[in-house]
Amino acid sequence: MQNALIFTVGFFLIALVFYLFPPKKINRFYGFRTSLSIQSNEHWHFANKLASVLFLIFAVFNFVLYFVFTYLNQDFNGLIKLLIILEAFAIYFYVNHRLKKFKNVNESH
């Protein structure tokens, strides 16, 4: 259970930093960086705001699961690692999906 707590807290702290200190400019090191998110500052800010909110939602969800599994005295170590990977993929695909719609809406004006 100790590893699960470390992964859960780590994921939460990264999500919190990402939410509280979003990248202000497009850069190579920090932020939600995809070919769609770096097309403009509007895309960049939209993608990073959405991704940070989703990270926080998943982080809180992971905490709830951690406490449920702890209460039930069940091992959560393998599951939390799998969940974080799946959540990262979900965030990646969902934010890119929303960026495609964002792009289409802004280009039609």
Side-chain angles (χ1 to χ4, degrees):
M1 282 296 197
Q2 193 71 11
N3 284 342
L5 181 60
I6 291 169
F7 278 99
T8 304
V9 170
F11 190 78
F12 178 77
L13 290 176
I14 291 169
L16 192 60
V17 167
F18 194 43
Y19 181 78
L20 294 176
F21 306 103
K24 295 182 181 7
K25 296 179 182 177
I26 299 171
N27 66 77
R28 300 177 126 189
F29 306 106
Y30 178 62
F32 186 86
R33 184 177 169 78
T34 67
S35 60
L36 292 174
S37 69
I38 63 171
Q39 288 184 352
S40 70
N41 283 328
E42 291 81 20
H43 287 81
W44 180 254
H45 292 293
F46 175 81
N48 281 282
K49 180 71 170 178
L50 180 57
S52 67
V53 169
L54 292 172
F55 265 113
L56 274 178
I57 290 169
F58 281 130
V60 170
F61 174 74
N62 291 346
F63 263 121
V64 170
L65 279 182
Y66 173 79
F67 289 116
V68 168
F69 274 76
T70 301
Y71 177 77
L72 296 174
N73 203 23
Q74 298 293 316
D75 185 26
F76 188 54
N77 288 326
L79 182 59
I80 189 63
K81 293 171 189 172
L82 177 63
L83 269 177
I84 288 173
I85 291 168
L86 292 175
E87 291 163 351
F89 277 112
I91 291 168
Y92 173 82
F93 287 112
Y94 182 72
V95 172
N96 274 316
H97 173 73
R98 291 287 305 272
L99 278 170
K100 288 176 187 173
K101 288 185 176 186
F102 182 80
K103 177 182 171 185
N104 292 340
V105 168
N106 286 344
E107 287 180 354
S108 66
H109 294 296

